[in-house]
Amino acid sequence: MMYFCYIDESGTPEILGTSSHYVLCGLAIPINKWKMCDKQIHAIKHKYGLDDAEIHTGWILRNYLEQSRIPDFEEMNYLERRSAVIRERAKEIFRLQHSGNKKLYKQFKKNYRMTEAYIHLTRDERNCLIQEIANKIGSWQFARLFAEGVDKTHFNSAAKHTIDEMALEQIVSRFEQYMSIKDVNPISIYGALIHDNNLTVAKRHTRLMQQFHRNGTLWTSINHIIETPLFVNSELTSMVQLADLCSYVTRRFFEIGETDLFERIKRRFDKHNGKLVGIRHPDFGN
């Protein structure tokens, strides 16, 4: 048996970053379930006209103000909506281009680029899209979630590892222990880590995983995880996009108490002897 554990983050690991929390999340699925999972997620994406689009939850759930300025937007078809939003955005970009506010102009261009794939969907439809995907993840009894939530206001800046390195050690340890418990033979289960390709952390996390293979983590030796993390483009890999969703949902739960989406995936966090062991946060009781 082989497991793939898809890993992504939400929030910034820097102490003075733009979020108060940092969450690293891993979604582990057996490789013989991968094709089924991919087909189910693609069916949901197709329903919303997103066949080739990346599911980037944070950008999908934003409020697109220009939609509220378009009369009868909800009554339009997808093509009409897209054309109308593109016209509104072109007007705003033109205005900002001549306003002299280069910072705001640059930010709006980024916002428009990152949300372009979803502009044909109303906010309610985008919410429903993410709810459906979260429900689907929650229904996969064969899948396991592992998450480390860090409240940066309580993080010891003198710690040996950075926030993201500490979080990776936790995910690696829990994934390894999950496979160790399931393994009925000496070594019959293996796992691989598949990480969103973040160039700023790839080398550090690769070196850290090499250390774990040699010396183990603080909690366990590494007997079931093979290789160092494989870094992939999340735009091309649906399962990493699901790890993005889970990390975002978990961070929002810890940061501001949003429960709807979190409750939809909560059952997939790993348990052992009835105790929730797949997720850790200072305020979560574990």
Side-chain angles (χ1 to χ4, degrees):
M1 173 66 74
M2 180 82 181
Y3 281 85
F4 286 152
C5 185
Y6 297 90
I7 298 175
D8 203 359
E9 63 186 13
S10 183
T12 54
E14 296 80 18
I15 295 293
L16 299 178
T18 57
S19 61
S20 65
H21 284 65
Y22 173 82
V23 169
L24 189 69
C25 189
L27 170 64
I29 61 171
I31 60 171
N32 64 335
K33 300 292 186 181
W34 173 85
K35 187 174 287 291
M36 182 195 76
C37 294
D38 192 62
K39 284 183 176 180
Q40 290 179 356
I41 297 304
H42 184 266
I44 296 173
K45 291 168 70 173
H46 177 74
K47 175 181 174 181
Y48 289 91
L50 295 169
D51 293 67
D52 300 318
E54 178 179 6
I55 299 300
H56 200 306
T57 305
W59 291 103
I60 289 173
L61 293 179
R62 291 190 176 201
N63 184 26
Y64 305 167
L65 291 175
E66 62 274 10
Q67 289 185 346
S68 64
R69 297 196 291 264
I70 300 170
D72 302 319
F73 182 77
E74 294 186 1
E75 282 67 47
M76 296 178 177
N77 62 38
Y78 283 175
L79 184 59
E80 291 169 338
R81 289 177 183 178
R82 180 169 290 281
S83 297
V85 171
I86 289 173
R87 286 195 299 270
E88 286 294 322
R89 289 186 166 187
K91 293 177 189 175
E92 187 65 13
I93 287 295
F94 181 80
R95 185 186 70 80
L96 289 170
Q97 195 173 18
H98 294 83
S99 69
N101 191 333
K102 293 182 178 179
K103 184 177 180 180
L104 193 59
Y105 169 71
K106 185 177 180 180
Q107 183 61 52
F108 268 65
K109 284 194 71 174
K110 178 184 177 180
N111 292 348
Y112 290 167
R113 183 179 73 256
M114 297 299 294
T115 58
E116 183 179 6
Y118 324 119
I119 58 176
H120 61 288
L121 300 171
T122 66
R123 188 168 193 180
D124 286 344
E125 288 169 339
R126 286 182 272 117
N127 285 334
C128 287
L129 162 71
I130 298 303
Q131 288 170 352
E132 285 192 41
I133 295 176
N135 286 340
K136 186 58 67 177
I137 296 170
S139 73
W140 292 340
Q141 296 185 16
F142 49 80
R144 289 296 180 273
L145 285 171
F146 310 95
E148 176 72 3
V150 181
D151 183 346
K152 294 188 291 185
T153 61
H154 300 299
F155 183 75
N156 179 8
S157 59
K160 178 182 177 182
H161 294 308
T162 62
I163 286 176
D164 60 294
E165 290 172 339
M166 183 196 72
L168 180 67
E169 184 172 22
Q170 287 285 343
I171 299 300
V172 167
S173 298
R174 285 176 225 162
F175 182 40
E176 171 66 35
Q177 289 168 344
Y178 169 72
M179 290 185 290
S180 298
I181 291 168
K182 286 187 68 69
D183 206 349
V184 293
N185 296 315
I187 296 287
S188 63
I189 297 176
Y190 291 95
L193 305 172
I194 303 177
H195 203 307
D196 182 30
N197 190 18
N198 185 330
L199 294 178
T200 62
V201 302
K203 287 186 177 180
R204 288 190 295 109
H205 284 194
T206 296
R207 292 194 186 104
L208 192 60
M209 192 65 207
Q210 290 170 339
Q211 293 176 25
F212 295 158
H213 277 299
R214 288 193 297 267
N215 307 315
T217 69
L218 184 61
W219 296 273
T220 183
S221 59
I222 303 300
N223 299 312
H224 296 81
I225 301 175
I226 64 170
E227 262 289 357
T228 55
L230 307 176
F231 290 89
V232 300
N233 185 345
S234 62
E235 184 179 354
L236 305 175
T237 310
S238 293
M239 294 301 112
V240 172
Q241 296 170 27
L242 302 192
D244 167 80
L245 183 152
C246 294
S247 62
Y248 175 87
V249 166
T250 303
R251 180 177 66 83
R252 298 285 287 185
F253 172 73
F254 287 143
E255 205 163 56
I256 58 176
E258 286 185 354
T259 59
D260 177 68
L261 291 170
F262 182 76
E263 290 296 326
R264 296 170 191 265
I265 65 170
K266 182 180 176 181
R267 72 191 82 171
R268 295 282 68 86
F269 286 103
D270 189 33
K271 291 182 180 180
H272 181 55
N273 293 331
K275 182 181 179 181
L276 192 63
V277 296
I279 184 171
R280 189 180 77 150
H281 181 268
D283 299 327
F284 204 62
N286 58 346

